Amino acid sequence: LDATSHPFATGLNPGDVRVTTRYLEDDITYSLFSTIHEGGHALYEQNISPDLAGTNLCEGTSMGIHESQSRLWENMIGRSLPFWERYYEDLRRITGEFSDVPLEDFYRAVNEVKPSFIRTESDELTYNLHIMIRYELEKALVGGRLKTEDLPEAWNAMYKEYLGITPPNHTLGVLQDVHWAGGGFGYFPSYSLGNMYAAQIMDAMRKALPNLDEDLKAGRFDAVRGWLTENIYRHGKLLAPAEVIRNTAGAELDPSYLTAYLTEKYTQIY
């Protein structure tokens, strides 16, 4: 684990997987959930079948399925109430903070919904708006309808339209992500695909593991990791994304699982 300005994970092979995080002095939750997010990627890479080592199949099957694992661990497990029923006292002890903050208030705080400039800091409800903005701009760039020099103005206009806020500078705006600068065109939609996959996978996992919440409360993750390894991780690229979701959830990708998950969770919180 190391520090960086934009958290990422990299897998050299199943025995050597590395993650990074970013620390904000006034917000401990950023490093917590960034680390859990990248840890989700790492768990995927670490648990690919050893039989695939050294082949082109020894990696995640797609960016969307990969993001489903980081988002599942970060949000559906890491931001859940059972998870913090187990780890909140540890956080208090290690940091010396939050002694006057009840668990329920902390849980609600880490699931707060509000417009934000930074995609990686955004909440589950507004997150996909960040992806929609990037997707529309990316299509315009690739299609020749938007010039690179006009991108900052277009970015700010869409943030005003979609989220009601205007970035005060390019660090909080168009330059916050590394994907386009690194040639990663077509990557951003994988995050929303990941959210949809994650909700459908989580639904299937809850049906297969009826004691899931009790395991999380006790800090037991063997069943979760074992189920994900059996159904997703071990296959590497042997299975296509459509095969993964069919084998895991018994159906094609269906976004209604994500809307149902978000509706239930945030109706309770708010």
Side-chain angles (χ1 to χ4, degrees), residues 6 10 50 78 97 169 173 193 205 207 221 232 248 254 261 270:
H6 186 104
T10 183
E97 302 286 347
N169 55 59
L193 282 170
M205 185 162 62
K207 293 174 181 174
F221 297 96
I232 300 172
T248 303
D254 183 348
Y261 159 77
Y270 277 88

Side-chain angles (χ1 to χ4, degrees), residues 7 20-22 29-39 74 120:
T20 63
T21 192
R22 180 185 177 205
T29 63
Y30 186 87
S31 60
L32 282 173
F33 296 115
S34 293
T35 305
I36 296 173
H37 178 103
E38 302 306 336
E74 173 193 0
T120 58

Side-chain angles (χ1 to χ4, degrees), residues 177-248:
D177 288 306
V178 301
H179 302 66
W180 290 338
F185 284 84
Y187 193 109
F188 284 117
S190 69
Y191 291 108
S192 285
L193 282 170
N195 289 333
M196 289 184 275
Y197 283 131
Q200 199 163 348
I201 290 168
M202 192 70 178
D203 180 79
M205 185 162 62
R206 285 195 174 278
K207 293 174 181 174
L209 304 175
N211 296 321
L212 176 60
D213 284 344
E214 287 72 19
D215 284 346
L216 297 182
K217 289 179 184 179
R220 295 190 301 263
F221 297 96
D222 287 353
V224 175
R225 184 169 60 85
W227 190 87
L228 290 170
T229 297
E230 174 65 24
N231 289 280
I232 300 172
Y233 299 163
R234 69 184 178 94
H235 301 291
K237 295 194 80 158
L238 278 173
L239 300 179
E243 293 176 293
V244 169
I245 197 67
R246 281 198 301 266
N247 291 352
T248 303

Side-chain angles (χ1 to χ4, degrees), residues 34-59:
S34 293
T35 305
I36 296 173
H37 178 103
E38 302 306 336
H41 285 303
L43 282 169
Y44 193 168
E45 294 289 327
Q46 281 184 311
N47 288 283
I48 295 173
S49 172
D51 295 339
L52 300 179
T55 76
N56 291 337
L57 300 175
C58 192
E59 60 181 349

